Coordinates of all heavy atoms in Angstrom, one line a residue:
N233 N 16.8 14.0 -1.0 CA 15.9 12.9 -0.7 C 14.8 13.3 0.4 O 13.7 12.9 0.3 CB 16.6 11.6 -0.3 CG 17.4 11.0 -1.4 OD1 17.2 11.4 -2.6 ND2 18.3 10.1 -1.1
V234 N 15.2 14.0 1.4 CA 14.3 14.5 2.4 C 13.2 15.3 1.7 O 12.0 15.2 2.0 CB 15.0 15.3 3.5 CG1 14.1 16.1 4.4 CG2 15.8 14.3 4.4
R235 N 13.6 16.2 0.9 CA 12.7 17.1 0.2 C 11.7 16.3 -0.6 O 10.5 16.5 -0.5 CB 13.5 18.0 -0.7 CG 12.6 19.1 -1.4 CD 13.4 20.1 -2.1 NE 14.4 19.6 -3.0 CZ 14.3 19.5 -4.4 NH1 13.2 20.0 -4.9 NH2 15.2 19.0 -5.1
Y236 N 12.1 15.3 -1.3 CA 11.2 14.5 -2.1 C 10.4 13.6 -1.2 O 9.2 13.4 -1.5 CB 12.0 13.6 -3.1 CG 12.4 14.4 -4.4 CD1 13.7 14.8 -4.5 CD2 11.4 14.8 -5.3 CE1 14.1 15.6 -5.7 CE2 11.8 15.5 -6.4 CZ 13.1 15.9 -6.6 OH 13.5 16.6 -7.7
L237 N 10.9 13.0 -0.2 CA 10.1 12.1 0.7 C 9.1 12.8 1.4 O 8.0 12.3 1.8 CB 11.1 11.3 1.6 CG 11.9 10.3 0.9 CD1 12.9 9.7 1.9 CD2 11.0 9.2 0.3
Y238 N 9.3 14.1 1.7 CA 8.2 14.9 2.4 C 7.0 15.0 1.5 O 5.9 15.0 2.0 CB 8.7 16.3 2.7 CG 9.2 16.5 4.1 CD1 10.5 16.9 4.3 CD2 8.4 16.2 5.2 CE1 11.0 17.0 5.6 CE2 8.9 16.3 6.5 CZ 10.2 16.7 6.7 OH 10.6 16.9 8.0
T239 N 7.2 14.9 0.2 CA 6.0 14.9 -0.7 C 5.2 13.6 -0.5 O 4.0 13.6 -0.8 CB 6.4 15.1 -2.2 OG1 7.1 14.0 -2.6 CG2 7.1 16.4 -2.4
L240 N 5.8 12.5 -0.1 CA 5.1 11.3 0.1 C 4.5 11.2 1.5 O 3.5 10.4 1.7 CB 6.0 10.1 -0.1 CG 6.5 9.8 -1.5 CD1 7.5 8.6 -1.5 CD2 5.3 9.4 -2.3
D241 N 5.0 12.0 2.4 CA 4.6 11.9 3.8 C 3.1 12.1 4.0 O 2.5 11.4 4.8 CB 5.4 12.9 4.6 CG 5.5 12.5 6.1 OD1 5.7 11.3 6.3 OD2 5.5 13.4 6.9
K242 N 2.5 12.9 3.2 CA 1.1 13.2 3.3 C 0.2 12.0 2.9 O -1.0 11.9 3.3 CB 0.7 14.4 2.4 CG 0.8 14.1 0.9 CD 0.5 15.4 0.1 CE 0.9 15.1 -1.4 NZ 0.9 16.4 -2.1
F243 N 0.8 11.0 2.3 CA 0.0 9.8 1.9 C 0.1 8.7 3.0 O -0.8 7.9 3.1 CB 0.6 9.2 0.6 CG 0.4 10.1 -0.6 CD1 1.4 10.8 -1.1 CD2 -0.9 10.2 -1.2 CE1 1.3 11.6 -2.2 CE2 -1.0 11.0 -2.3 CZ 0.0 11.7 -2.8
F244 N 1.1 8.7 3.8 CA 1.3 7.6 4.8 C 0.3 7.7 5.9 O -0.2 6.6 6.4 CB 2.7 7.6 5.3 CG 3.6 7.0 4.2 CD1 4.6 7.8 3.7 CD2 3.5 5.7 3.8 CE1 5.5 7.3 2.7 CE2 4.4 5.2 2.8 CZ 5.3 6.0 2.3
G245 N -0.1 8.9 6.3 CA -1.2 9.0 7.4 C -2.5 8.4 6.9 O -3.0 7.4 7.5
P246 N -3.0 8.9 5.8 CA -4.3 8.3 5.2 C -4.1 6.8 4.9 O -5.0 6.0 5.1 CB -4.5 9.1 4.0 CG -3.8 10.4 4.2 CD -2.6 10.1 5.0
L247 N -2.9 6.4 4.4 CA -2.7 5.0 4.1 C -2.8 4.1 5.3 O -3.3 3.0 5.4 CB -1.4 4.8 3.4 CG -1.2 3.5 2.6 CD1 -2.2 3.3 1.5 CD2 0.2 3.6 2.0
A248 N -2.2 4.6 6.4 CA -2.2 3.9 7.7 C -3.5 3.8 8.3 O -3.9 2.8 9.0 CB -1.2 4.5 8.7
N249 N -4.4 4.8 8.1 CA -5.7 4.8 8.7 C -6.8 4.3 7.8 O -8.0 4.3 8.2 CB -6.0 6.2 9.2 CG -5.0 6.7 10.2 OD1 -4.6 5.9 11.1 ND2 -4.6 7.9 10.2
A250 N -6.5 3.9 6.6 CA -7.5 3.5 5.6 C -7.9 2.1 5.9 O -7.3 1.3 6.6 CB -6.9 3.6 4.2
S251 N -9.0 1.7 5.3 CA -9.5 0.3 5.4 C -8.7 -0.4 4.3 O -8.0 0.2 3.4 CB -11.0 0.3 5.1 OG -11.2 0.5 3.7
P252 N -8.8 -1.7 4.2 CA -8.0 -2.4 3.2 C -8.4 -2.0 1.8 O -7.7 -2.2 0.8 CB -8.4 -3.9 3.5 CG -8.6 -3.9 4.9 CD -9.3 -2.6 5.2
V253 N -9.6 -1.4 1.6 CA -10.0 -0.9 0.3 C -9.4 0.5 0.3 O -10.1 1.5 0.4 CB -11.5 -0.8 0.2 CG1 -11.9 -0.4 -1.2 CG2 -12.1 -2.2 0.5
M254 N -8.1 0.6 0.0 CA -7.4 1.9 0.1 C -7.1 2.4 -1.3 O -6.2 3.2 -1.5 CB -6.1 1.7 0.9 CG -5.2 0.6 0.4 SD -3.8 0.3 1.5 CE -4.4 -1.0 2.6
M255 N -7.8 1.9 -2.3 CA -7.5 2.2 -3.7 C -7.6 3.7 -4.0 O -6.9 4.2 -4.9 CB -8.4 1.5 -4.6 CG -8.2 0.0 -4.6 SD -6.4 -0.5 -5.0 CE -6.3 0.1 -6.6
E256 N -8.4 4.5 -3.2 CA -8.5 5.9 -3.5 C -7.2 6.7 -3.3 O -6.9 7.7 -3.9 CB -9.6 6.5 -2.6 CG -9.2 6.6 -1.2 CD -10.2 6.1 -0.2 OE1 -11.0 5.2 -0.6 OE2 -10.3 6.7 0.9
H257 N -6.3 6.1 -2.4 CA -5.0 6.8 -2.2 C -3.9 6.3 -3.1 O -2.9 7.0 -3.3 CB -4.5 6.5 -0.7 CG -5.5 6.9 0.3 ND1 -5.8 8.2 0.6 CD2 -6.3 6.2 1.1 CE1 -6.7 8.3 1.5 NE2 -7.0 7.1 1.9
V258 N -4.0 5.2 -3.7 CA -3.0 4.6 -4.5 C -2.6 5.4 -5.8 O -1.4 5.6 -6.0 CB -3.3 3.1 -4.8 CG1 -2.2 2.5 -5.7 CG2 -3.3 2.3 -3.5
P259 N -3.6 5.8 -6.6 CA -3.2 6.5 -7.8 C -2.4 7.8 -7.5 O -1.3 8.0 -8.2 CB -4.5 6.9 -8.4 CG -5.5 5.9 -7.9 CD -5.0 5.6 -6.5
S260 N -2.8 8.6 -6.5 CA -2.0 9.8 -6.3 C -0.6 9.5 -5.6 O 0.4 10.2 -5.9 CB -2.8 10.8 -5.4 OG -3.3 10.2 -4.2
L261 N -0.6 8.4 -4.8 CA 0.6 8.0 -4.2 C 1.6 7.5 -5.3 O 2.8 7.9 -5.4 CB 0.4 6.8 -3.3 CG 1.6 6.1 -2.7 CD1 2.5 7.1 -1.9 CD2 1.2 4.9 -1.9
M262 N 1.1 6.7 -6.3 CA 2.0 6.3 -7.4 C 2.4 7.4 -8.3 O 3.5 7.4 -8.8 CB 1.3 5.2 -8.2 CG 1.1 3.9 -7.5 SD 2.6 3.1 -7.0 CE 2.6 3.3 -5.2
S263 N 1.5 8.4 -8.5 CA 1.9 9.5 -9.3 C 3.0 10.3 -8.6 O 4.0 10.8 -9.3 CB 0.7 10.4 -9.4 OG 1.0 11.6 -10.1
T264 N 3.0 10.4 -7.3 CA 4.1 11.1 -6.6 C 5.4 10.3 -6.6 O 6.4 10.9 -6.8 CB 3.6 11.4 -5.1 OG1 2.4 12.1 -5.1 CG2 4.7 12.2 -4.4
V265 N 5.3 9.0 -6.5 CA 6.5 8.2 -6.6 C 7.1 8.3 -8.0 O 8.3 8.4 -8.1 CB 6.1 6.7 -6.3 CG1 7.3 5.8 -6.6 CG2 5.8 6.5 -4.8
C266 N 6.2 8.3 -9.0 CA 6.7 8.5 -10.4 C 7.4 9.9 -10.5 O 8.5 10.0 -11.2 CB 5.5 8.4 -11.3 SG 6.0 8.6 -13.1

């Protein structure tokens, strides 16, 4: 689980610093979750 969650870690920084129009990050985030 640590190994897999590290792949998501790169999305949380940009997601936290994004404006509410964060749609540019969502497709790649969902692809990684999938």
Side-chain angles (χ1 to χ4, degrees):
N233 289 349
V234 165
R235 185 170 53 103
Y236 280 105
L237 289 172
Y238 264 123
T239 64
L240 288 177
D241 208 35
K242 65 184 174 192
F243 294 105
F244 286 113
L247 197 59
N249 298 321
S251 72
V253 185
M254 54 188 95
M255 291 306 294
E256 71 228 32
H257 302 290
V258 174
S260 53
L261 173 63
M262 290 300 111
S263 177
T264 304
V265 169
C266 181

